[in-house]
Amino acid sequence: MKKLNILLLFLSLSIIACKNNKKEPTTIENETTTAEVFVVKPEATSVKWTAYKTTEKVGVGGEFTTVNFEEKSGATPEEALNGLSFSIPVSSLFTNDATNTRDAKIKTSFFGSMLDAELLTGTIAYTSGNCVANLTMNGVTHELPLAINITDERRVTLTGVMNLADWNALDALAALNKVCFDLHKGADGVSKTWEDVAIQIETYLRKS
């Protein structure tokens, strides 16, 4: 009888020990993570250009104050920019000219000599670190290679150089030089308007 009691006591202690050692199921909380989505906003975008006159190649700066984008977003800056379509009204050209005549000459004589003079349109292609704008101007679509820099603050800078000959725009350039003939003379008395135009685009990738 004594042995039986000891056996029962041993079994009871074993059951209690097993219960104490039993691991409680771990509750995993569902953590909801919101993925970043990058969006290019037209109101945060500027398109500036620098053209050149005289044989000394003096820069003349200007910008387009209106840029329109299709609505597009991406999980990365590259995804947000790649395939982004844009249009720029030529009417938004602005050079901050004190005489208030330069803008009209460029719009009328330069762009006015082109086909489809109302808009510049195109699409950005940005893959594997390479960026190109497929720009349509004067009825011609041509690639404009762009150097790209994106900061940690998601500010984007795109720079490139257009050669107007690539868009068959030399006749338009000659028309502009004609109306600006004396203004585009340098110290040597030669009137010249250059074919290359520097482009700088700045924008900001917002999270949504």
Side-chain angles (χ1 to χ4, degrees), residues 90 93 101-114 117 172 175-176 179:
V90 170
L93 181 143
T101 60
R102 182 190 295 150
D103 293 11
K105 289 178 180 178
I106 296 172
K107 291 175 186 178
T108 303
S109 297
F110 181 65
F111 287 106
S113 299
M114 297 184 185
L176 177 63
V179 298

Side-chain angles (χ1 to χ4, degrees), residues 36-110:
E36 289 185 339
V37 177
F38 296 91
V39 180
V40 184
K41 295 290 186 180
E43 64 270 20
T45 303
S46 66
V47 178
K48 297 180 181 179
W49 50 266
T50 303
Y52 302 97
K53 65 179 183 178
T54 77
T55 53
E56 291 86 1
K57 206 171 186 178
V58 176
V60 178
E63 64 180 309
F64 293 100
T65 58
T66 300
V67 185
N68 299 311
F69 294 124
E70 68 169 357
E71 186 173 339
K72 191 174 185 298
S73 61
T76 64
E78 182 177 59
E79 202 175 279
L81 291 167
N82 187 41
L84 179 68
S85 295
F86 63 87
S87 64
I88 303 171
V90 170
S91 60
S92 70
L93 181 143
F94 177 70
T95 63
N96 196 28
D97 175 36
T99 66
N100 295 318
T101 60
R102 182 190 295 150
D103 293 11
K105 289 178 180 178
I106 296 172
K107 291 175 186 178
T108 303
S109 297
F110 181 65

